[in-house]
Amino acid sequence: MSNMLEALRGRIAEAMTRSFGAAAVGADPMVTPATDPRFGHYQSNAAMGLAKRLGRKPRELAAELVAAARLDDLCLPPQIAGPGFINFTLRPETITEELRHRLADERLGVAPVSPARRVVIDFSSPNIAKELHVGHLRSTIIGDCLARVLEFQGHAVLRRNHVGDWGTQFGMLIAHLQDVCPEALEEGGSVDLGDIVAFYKEAKRRFDADEEFKARSRGEVVRLQSGVPEAVRAWKALCDQSRRQFDEIYRRLDVRIEERGESFYNPFIPETLNELDALGLITESEGARCVYPEGFVNKQGDPLPLIVQKSDGGFNYDTTDMTAIRYRVRVEKADRIIYVTDAGQAIHFAMIFAAARKAGWLDGARAEHVPFGMVLGEDQKKFKTRSGETVRLKDLLDEAVARARAIVDKKNPELPGKRRAEVADTIGIGAVKYADLSQNRISDYVFSFDKMLALTGNTAPYLIYAYVRVQSIARKGDIDYGHLDPAALSTLETPEELELGRALLRLPEVIDVVARDLMPNRLTDYLFDLSQIFSRFYTNNRVLGDPRQTTRLALCDLAARTIRLGLSLLGIRVIAEM
RNA sequence: GCGCCUGUAGCUCAGCUGGAUAGAGCGCAUGCCUCCGGAGCAUGAGGUCCGGCGUUCGAAUCGCCGCAGGCGCGCCA
């Protein structure tokens, strides 16, 4: 049993039914990590809740539960405290035994979930012909992290980049392309259009300034939508060019994602609308076709619509999102669909989900919006460059790496230049990700290079440093952690050993919580806590040359592997030296 | 105007199905290198959990009413 919390929960649930029979069936054993180390490792608050239902004193019930529970193999005799808290302390032998298993377990005690589900995660989602900018940072990083966590649990995760690759803006882009790069309209061959963003800006400038160009642009939209091959080729060339620029950033961020843009869903729009219509969910209003999910009103207090077809016959993101959610359930057989977008879209998704539910599409599936707050500058205003421009992700990453490089150069000039470059890259990118993920994603997040790259505190550099220290011990002592014999791990004794051992055991519970709440900061909090405990351990417990060397090396190895695994779930790499 | 989100130490933030004396980092003060990397460790000061009322054995957490800030509010996404 590698998840101690689950184990205890099971034992208490069992004791509850044994002691109180039907009255306790389905009641929550209320087992949680202890709120304070002085209370032990875990606690159950079930007695207080039960007291009301059974009309008895909570401390009495707690005593009965303790008497009825079979816990001897896991913990010391439980203590009853306060109004009826039951406090559990794991036995040192239990902790040690479990750590022996972990030494030989690649997954460090985290069992794959059963049954595995099919999960669609919709994240990042930039627009074609535009830049990946700071506005995409959180969606990309958080979405990737959630994907990694759910994949590690064993779920089949479909990572979807719902890029904006359709719409009226393509008219001006195609018209501009005709003028500056006519060869892109020909069949076959790919063309390098250069900086697609500059291209977009120029097209936009002409569109705003030139009536003839504007008219031509409108014509191109029509040609594209009706599938004229030349227009479609131009569109593809534009998307390809954008994709190359996106992929460069995803590569640097080590983010894997499958592009499935809005255009992908075009063929499925008619059947989606037909089905909504057949269900009687579509109402016409001012020439537009609308779905009115209940409970949403506009500023006049009138029902708020999803406009699934505009009055000009065109489609918008309500249409695409309705089509996509239906496709994901019906065709991709998703059990769970997760949308990682800014909090400002909360109402939009609430409406999409409500409408999809009404249509019966979510009967066997769960749709969730995972909202996050804005990225703010240190002035607490929306994060912009000094000149007021949107911050490009590329520039942001470059600066993080450059700053990390400056720190490495200063701290460890003996490291060869090539290694310093790797270290700077790992730390710089890792710091950007960690800073974002360690924040409660709901609140707005103040972006600060200085804070994220700080060598102390809850930052990527601090965690990576803890990892590096373990590798450093190995180098010093000429140790190969791969050759440690699990059986040689003796029962933990010192307070620091026990504290570290207990912290290591928590990993499976933490992963469960992250997957349940989709809150990466629960994982970063744990890793930071673990790293601090590890630092305490190795400053106070000599490893090399100590009679307990083997046991302590095993703890070092487990700490390093736990940190490495945890960081990998955040999308952050480690290095052996820094 | 309505809706959503946020409000916790000087600053930046945690606080997980309501649980015990509310935590961390930074900053500040004071210790610790004959010792595995001091990018570290230890100790301390610092709180009207925005305010009020309510629910509960128990509220930072739930409900209602206010206050402040952010975001959104019909054919962009």
Side-chain angles (χ1 to χ4, degrees), chain A residues 291-313:
Chain A
V291 176
Y292 291 91
E294 278 120 45
F296 299 90
V297 292
N298 67 11
K299 46 187 145 184
Q300 284 83 34
D302 301 325
L304 196 60
L306 285 169
I307 295 173
V308 292
Q309 185 161 24
K310 299 191 286 182
S311 51
D312 67 2

Side-chain angles (χ1 to χ4, degrees), chain A residues 408-461:
Chain A
V408 178
D409 286 347
K410 185 156 168 248
K411 289 280 181 186
N412 200 352
E414 307 88 57
L415 217 56
K418 196 179 164 200
R419 298 288 293 282
R420 288 210 298 276
E422 283 169 28
V423 170
D425 196 63
T426 303
I427 304 244
I429 306 281
V432 170
K433 290 190 179 188
Y434 192 89
D436 197 323
L437 295 169
S438 61
Q439 199 89 184
N440 182 320
R441 46 164 239 276
I442 306 293
S443 40
D444 291 344
Y445 150 56
V446 178
F447 191 95
S448 162
F449 284 115
D450 288 334
K451 290 213 165 99
M452 69 179 65
L453 286 163
L455 311 165
T456 57
N458 189 7
T459 64

Side-chain angles (χ1 to χ4, degrees), chain A residues 103 473-474 476-481 484-485 488-490 492-493 497 537 541-557:
Chain A
L103 275 173
I473 290 170
K476 176 97 180 184
D478 199 21
I479 306 293
D480 179 357
Y481 288 116
L484 293 177
D485 177 7
L489 178 65
S490 62
L492 305 188
E493 287 174 1
E497 287 174 0
F537 160 76
N541 290 205
R542 176 83 199 175
V543 177
L544 296 176
D546 190 272
R548 298 183 58 71
Q549 168 169 321
T550 312
T551 296
R552 289 180 180 170
L553 280 172
L555 287 171
C556 284
D557 181 41

